Amino acid sequence: MQYAIDVRNLTKTFGDIVAIDGASFTVKEREIFGLIGPNGAGKTTALRILSTLLKPSSGTATIFGNDVVKKPEAIRESISYLPEEAGAYQNLSGYEYLSFMAGFYAEDKESQDEMLKEAELISGLGERLDDRIKGYSKGMKRRLLLARAVMMKPKLLILDEPTSGLDVVHAFHVRQVIKEYADKKGVTVLLSSHNMLEVEYLCHRVSLINEGKIIAEGSPDELTQKFSAENLEQVFMEVAKLG
Amino acid sequence: MGNLWSLVLKEIKELVRDPKILIGVILMPIIIFPVMGSAINISTSSVQRAMITASFAIYNEDEGAPTDALLEHLYRNNTVITIEANGIQDALSKYQETNASTLLWIMEGYSENVSQGLKGELKVYANLKSLSIAEAGSTDAIGGLLNYYAYFLSIANINSLLEQAGAIGEASVVRSPLSVDYQSIIKGNVIDVAPSQIVSVIMSQSVMLPIMVMVMLMFAIQMAATSIAIEKEQKTLETLMTLPVSRLTILSGKLAGSIVVAVAGAIAYMIGFGYYMTSAFSFAPELTTMSTQDLSIGLEPLGTLLLGVNIFVTLVSGLALAISLATFTDNVRSAQSLTGFLTIPIMLPAIILMFSDLSMLPKTVQMVLLVIPYTHSIIASKAAFLGNYVLVLRSIGYITLFTLVVLYIAAKIFSTERIITARFTTFDMKKLLGRRSNRER
Ligand SMILES: Nc1ncnc2c1ncn2[C@@H]1O[C@H](COP(=O)(O)OP(=O)(O)OP(=O)(O)O)[C@@H](O)[C@H]1O
Ligand SMILES: [Mg+2]
């Protein structure tokens, strides 16, 4: 069976810094997969490689069978990436931004309108979509960006810390959207987080990453059992100590 | 095609809705130039008013027919304040209490000298209260009156000398015996205009063109650099780079968007400058109405086309250069200071060629200038007016080649990860410059 994501022995260096150090993992289709680890572990770097923004220093990564180095264009057709500190064009209105983005994925006017309707719903911004993005709060912006990322129902959704900096209400909403898209609309999700509890709630499977190395992998339940811990947070502290 | 169009549209919206760009690029030239023009106009018309109402004071120490004749000439049509005083010191202090701008002192012995065929001695004091141009104008006013009087005095003298000698002749001919009519030949046609006049028109053209090209380029460069840097600063670039659009399309969208706004800026600039020219020189309309067209060295359709192509490739080259440079920075401020260095190769040829011709410069300077593509666009702008199309084509060729190389580099940078990872900040630049100046010490 073909994996949605297949990463083998991936290494990425920036000068002397080794951001990713021989990491391997696979993600099945329709799965929600979490890449979890502390600050500077290499999560963002891994997601950027998979989104074709960075090139691996060695090792391979394929998405739906397409190599990130050899076929970046094919990959860009099937993914949607939400960067961790993403922004939106300040001088466009929320609606203009969404319709600008939808234009790249929609085949015709009809499907574009469909995407926009979807995005309006997800963003929950209502009338405010007509305002310039300049005036949005952080939470409003993040929801707009999430709506942008999911509205075209990509085959693979890559989310870098989707709920970071959001309050409980906004974070809850974002998690629901992610879950709904994976469960009901057949979207594969790869996300990063250092919020272990969020990951436990959302992800079917996770990889623990520390200092660029994958130090454990499995479903949240498997991992807590294996390390006889109460939750993923304890698992992580346990594994990080060993490693 | 649809993707490119929506990228361009987004680019234009972002740029035009940015108040900084809207004000700086479009509104400023439209407002500033007319304001400058009317400011000049107000001051020139106040100079003229000062000249017309030139009032001056006269302190006369002499008597005699020549003195009376001079006084009659001066009192006619002018507001004159007569100073009664004992000696020049007294006269000067009394004069300074009046608001007359100049004092004419007719010294004792003026009439005697004039009657004996010697020079009549006069002295003019100007009281410079505000050190303004208007004051200089009113000082000139009395000078003009005196010159005029001197001319007729000399004609009268010559006439009486001629009479005494019984010779035949005209006083004005004796005074200036040659009549020279200057003609010019342009593109093989002899025209009845003095070369100095043509030169002054060409001068105004050759000053204007480099300025136009320079200003437009600077606009475009700022625009393109800003548009890349904004994407980085606002963290929109990463998303843009993962869209299913080719990087070349993204690059082209940026270029095209910047060109559209830069051209709008250039048009605003031209409209503003047009107002400036007409209002600043409204007291002398002949300065603006005489154009190269009247001198039959105007642009033919082919020339216009080539000039347009030349300016277009120049713009694209500047934009491509700016975009390539801006990718190395991560915020608007450092992008603008980095592309600020481009001012040097753009200003240098513009300023040098404004005051001289390439062939007049030393060989080494010529070589350096010819490497800079913007030298060629300025030379080509002049050449297009003179119908030297080979030169224009050469320039277009060189700039196009240069642009292709830069575009290739820009496209390369766009397709590598450098565009995401490059983090050249103002801080790095200071370090770089600081290190260099340390080494120099
Ligand atoms: N462009 C870059 N140039 C140099 N070093 C980089 C670059 N990007 C990332 N790094 C380094 O790579 C390492 C991994 O960074 P990365 O951003 O992937 O971590 P992360 O897991 O996403 O952390 P966080 O949770 O803080 O977002 C860090 O040491 C970081 O300093
Ligand atoms: Mg990160």
Side-chain angles (χ1 to χ4, degrees):
Chain A
M1 164 194 161
Q2 189 195 44
Y3 288 111
I5 303 175
D6 190 347
V7 174
R8 290 187 193 175
N9 236 337
L10 191 70
T11 299
K12 177 69 188 176
T13 55
F14 297 102
D16 296 335
I17 302 168
V18 183
I20 300 184
D21 191 359
S24 301
F25 61 88
T26 53
V27 177
K28 286 183 238 133
E29 271 185 58
R30 293 168 164 257
E31 206 171 33
I32 303 183
F33 188 91
L35 209 52
I36 60 182
N39 292 133
K43 304 182 294 292
T44 298
T45 306
L47 299 192
R48 281 177 164 178
I49 291 174
L50 292 171
S51 313
T52 73
L53 290 172
L54 301 180
K55 300 220 161 60
S57 304
S58 69
T60 59
T62 58
I63 289 174
F64 301 111
N66 292 315
D67 188 284
V68 289
V69 179
K70 289 180 201 135
K71 295 204 167 149
E73 289 87 8
I75 291 177
R76 283 178 210 142
E77 299 277 345
S78 57
I79 64 162
S80 173
Y81 171 54
L82 177 64
E84 77 182 311
E85 287 180 327
Y89 300 103
Q90 301 277 316
N91 293 313
L92 299 187
S93 71
Y95 188 81
E96 281 174 323
Y97 176 71
L98 291 172
S99 84
F100 165 67
M101 287 296 179
F104 296 106
Y105 297 91
E107 311 261 279
D108 49 37
K109 189 88 185 67
E110 240 167 72
S111 63
Q112 184 170 3
D113 287 345
E114 191 119 324
M115 286 179 195
L116 285 173
K117 238 187 254 155
E118 188 99 20
E120 265 181 78
L121 218 65
I122 299 162
S123 73
L125 289 172
E127 302 257 291
R128 296 297 304 270
L129 275 178
D130 291 329
D131 297 347
R132 299 268 171 94
I133 294 172
K134 209 178 261 184
Y136 286 13
S137 76
K138 199 203 286 182
M140 290 167 73
K141 227 178 272 176
R142 198 70 183 159
R143 282 173 65 164
L144 178 75
L145 290 172
L146 181 76
R148 190 294 292 174
V150 302
M151 67 179 171
M152 75 290 283
K153 299 190 194 74
K155 280 177 82 182
L156 172 65
L157 187 58
I158 302 178
L159 307 168
D160 198 352
E161 299 188 21
T163 60
S164 84
L166 296 188
D167 66 23
V168 188
V169 181
H170 279 100
F172 179 79
H173 175 84
V174 167
R175 276 184 216 119
Q176 280 213 310
V177 170
I178 296 169
K179 216 167 175 65
E180 187 192 319
Y181 268 76
D183 292 349
K184 301 205 185 111
K185 301 188 176 163
V187 173
T188 308
V189 181
L190 169 66
L191 60 85
S192 85
S193 181
H194 34 212
N195 181 343
M196 308 287 170
L197 301 177
E198 164 177 300
V199 170
E200 216 165 331
Y201 164 76
L202 265 181
C203 297
H204 302 128
R205 273 188 327 120
V206 298
S207 267
L208 301 189
I209 181 169
N210 193 26
E211 294 178 353
K213 292 191 181 73
I214 305 281
I215 49 177
E217 197 184 314
S219 73
D221 281 347
E222 278 167 24
L223 286 174
T224 40
Q225 267 170 29
K226 186 172 160 196
F227 292 91
S228 48
E230 268 170 41
N231 53 38
L232 275 180
E233 212 159 58
Q234 283 189 357
V235 172
F236 189 83
M237 294 314 285
E238 199 62 29
V239 184
K241 236 186 297 169
L242 294 176
Chain B
M1 206 53 222
N3 285 343
L4 179 62
W5 175 237
S6 60
L7 280 166
V8 173
L9 210 62
K10 173 225 111 193
E11 203 63 46
I12 294 173
K13 276 187 196 162
E14 268 281 289
L15 287 173
V16 172
R17 285 181 189 171
D18 188 332
K20 280 186 298 264
I21 288 179
L22 187 68
I23 293 170
V25 174
I26 311 218
L27 293 181
M28 278 287 263
I30 287 194
I31 295 167
I32 277 287
F33 281 122
V35 168
M36 264 167 59
S38 38
I40 290 183
N41 194 16
I42 288 166
S43 62
T44 47
S45 53
S46 73
V47 168
Q48 281 175 308
R49 216 173 306 121
M51 275 152 80
I52 293 163
T53 62
S55 66
F56 48 87
I58 294 181
Y59 171 53
N60 182 15
E61 276 185 346
D62 198 44
E63 346 192 272
T67 308
D68 292 343
L70 173 62
L71 285 174
E72 200 214 314
H73 169 72
L74 292 175
Y75 277 84
R76 198 189 305 142
N77 297 330
N78 292 303
T79 327
V80 181
I81 298 168
T82 314
I83 305 271
E84 306 280 354
N86 300 314
I88 185 63
Q89 289 310 328
D90 187 24
L92 281 176
S93 64
K94 281 187 176 153
Y95 150 63
Q96 284 179 57
E97 283 160 21
T98 71
N99 58 5
S101 56
T102 43
L103 171 72
L104 172 68
W105 179 21
I106 304 175
M107 294 158 98
E108 207 179 331
Y110 169 83
S111 286
E112 204 181 326
N113 279 359
V114 171
S115 335
Q116 288 179 5
L118 296 172
K119 284 200 176 201
E121 281 185 56
L122 300 169
K123 216 166 220 173
V124 172
Y125 293 87
N127 188 10
L128 301 178
K129 288 180 215 153
S130 64
L131 295 175
S132 69
I133 296 176
E135 276 181 350
S138 51
T139 321
D140 287 348
I142 183 132
L145 281 171
L146 292 173
N147 281 339
Y148 189 72
Y149 185 70
Y151 177 77
F152 283 102
L153 197 58
S154 99
I155 294 285
N157 286 342
I158 293 168
N159 270 331
S160 75
L161 285 171
L162 286 173
E163 233 168 81
Q164 276 170 33
I168 319 157
E170 283 232 11
S172 62
V173 175
V174 175
R175 204 183 136 93
S176 105
L178 298 180
S179 159
V180 184
D181 181 17
Y182 292 93
Q183 305 263 315
S184 309
I185 303 174
I186 288 178
K187 290 184 200 165
N189 299 322
V190 177
I191 48 176
D192 189 11
V193 180
S196 59
Q197 247 171 313
I198 292 181
V199 167
S200 74
V201 173
I202 302 243
M203 272 288 279
S204 70
Q205 293 279 4
S206 61
V207 168
M208 276 308 295
L209 281 172
I211 291 181
M212 283 305 307
V213 173
M214 193 174 76
V215 168
M216 211 161 54
L217 254 176
M218 296 310 294
F219 280 157
I221 282 174
Q222 286 290 308
M223 211 90 54
T226 309
S227 90
I228 285 279
I230 281 181
E231 297 262 7
K232 288 197 166 192
E233 201 171 284
Q234 314 279 3
K235 312 267 187 238
T236 50
L237 189 67
E238 277 186 59
T239 310
L240 191 65
M241 291 306 195
T242 56
L243 297 180
V245 206
S246 79
R247 296 281 166 93
L248 200 64
T249 311
I250 295 175
L251 181 64
S252 316
K254 286 237 162 284
L255 281 173
S258 308
I259 288 176
V260 170
V261 180
V263 167
I267 291 172
Y269 182 89
M270 279 193 258
I271 293 173
F273 204 84
Y275 272 122
Y276 166 73
M277 290 297 273
T278 47
S279 56
F281 298 106
S282 57
F283 63 92
E286 62 278 8
L287 277 181
T288 49
T289 51
M290 189 157 125
S291 71
T292 45
Q293 239 96 40
D294 302 337
L295 301 176
S296 79
I297 48 173
L299 279 174
E300 286 157 24
L302 180 62
T304 316
L305 181 75
L306 289 178
L307 191 65
V309 174
N310 178 50
I311 288 177
F312 181 78
V313 290
T314 303
L315 263 179
V316 177
S317 82
L319 291 171
L321 210 55
I323 286 184
S324 309
L325 277 179
T327 50
F328 290 98
T329 65
D330 69 350
N331 62 56
V332 173
R333 265 189 54 205
S334 45
Q336 286 181 344
S337 27
L338 193 62
T339 46
F341 286 117
L342 289 178
T343 337
I344 301 166
I346 291 169
M347 297 275 276
L348 201 71
I351 291 174
I352 293 179
L353 294 179
M354 213 184 279
F355 297 110
S356 75
D357 207 63
L358 197 68
S359 55
M360 287 153 55
L361 298 166
K363 268 276 173 298
T364 43
V365 179
Q366 277 191 34
M367 302 274 265
V368 172
L369 283 181
L370 281 174
V371 173
I372 303 173
Y374 305 111
T375 309
H376 294 263
S377 51
I378 293 165
I379 294 175
S381 310
K382 282 194 207 175
F385 276 95
L386 294 171
N388 192 346
Y389 298 142
V390 179
L391 205 59
V392 185
L393 282 173
R394 194 190 71 181
S395 151
I396 292 173
Y398 181 74
I399 301 172
T400 307
L401 198 72
F402 175 82
T403 308
L404 287 178
V405 172
V406 178
L407 269 181
Y408 178 79
I409 295 170
K412 264 268 163 323
I413 296 174
F414 255 66
S415 62
T416 63
E417 62 179 48
R418 158 140 282 151
I419 189 145
I420 302 291
T421 57
R423 282 177 191 153
F424 193 79
T425 60
T426 328
F427 178 69
D428 292 327
M429 201 138 62
K430 279 195 195 120
K431 256 189 350 200
L432 206 75
L433 294 175
R435 204 178 293 156
R436 194 181 301 155
S437 58
N438 280 344
R439 216 174 281 156
E440 273 166 15
R441 272 179 235 141

